[in-house]
Amino acid sequence: MSDYEQILRLNAQFSWLIDHKNGEGVPDLFTDDGYYGFENQGATGREEIKAFYDMRKARGHRVSRHIFSPVCIHEETADRITGTTMLTLIAADGEGPHPADIHIITDYLDEYVKVDGEWKYKSRVIYPIFGDIPDLQVKQ
């Protein structure tokens, strides 16, 4: 399997874990010191990423579909790739079915690194293009 195919598989696993497993396993897709979030706010390291998904899960049932475009590669070496994917997010709280309203469209600037022969996220930085950033704080 080519590096590009492995990156596509990593991105597919990322969205599937969020949409079908409440984010369980997502931290394992990152390096130990990986970063996930917006330019000025996010989680660094697997523990913080896990805490984010634990908080998201604590809010109650959420239905989502993270639909990513294939990655557009910007730079590539044997053990580091940077690229951009576009996300279209359809999401709602509570049991479905829900209207298929697009919640947000973003670009993800990704840095992938090869760790022990496996591609991981070093960083996933989200840049909103259309829509509102979801409020995933636990409701009081």
Side-chain angles (χ1 to χ4, degrees), residues 8 25 55 67 81 90 115:
L8 291 177
M55 182 261 315
I67 305 163
I81 293 174
I90 300 169
V115 178

Side-chain angles (χ1 to χ4, degrees), residues 13 56 121:
Q13 185 71 6
R56 180 182 185 265
Y121 296 112

Side-chain angles (χ1 to χ4, degrees), residues 120-133:
K120 301 269 187 185
Y121 296 112
K122 174 71 174 171
S123 65
R124 295 206 93 185
V125 182
I126 306 164
Y127 295 91
I129 306 300
F130 298 101
D132 298 317
I133 297 169

Side-chain angles (χ1 to χ4, degrees), residues 26-86:
V26 167
D28 297 330
L29 304 179
F30 286 80
T31 60
D32 290 338
D33 62 347
Y35 177 81
Y36 176 48
F38 302 95
E39 266 187 305
N40 56 355
Q41 178 185 348
T44 300
R46 289 183 180 149
E47 287 303 312
E48 285 187 18
I49 295 168
K50 180 183 181 309
F52 167 78
Y53 283 104
D54 288 347
M55 182 261 315
R56 180 182 185 265
K57 186 177 179 180
R59 295 180 72 248
H61 189 73
R62 182 165 176 85
V63 178
S64 65
R65 289 301 179 266
H66 290 72
I67 305 163
F68 284 95
S69 69
V71 62
C72 178
I73 302 294
H74 304 302
E75 296 179 45
E76 183 173 5
T77 66
D79 59 357
R80 181 180 174 274
I81 293 174
T82 62
T84 301
T85 61
M86 183 190 75

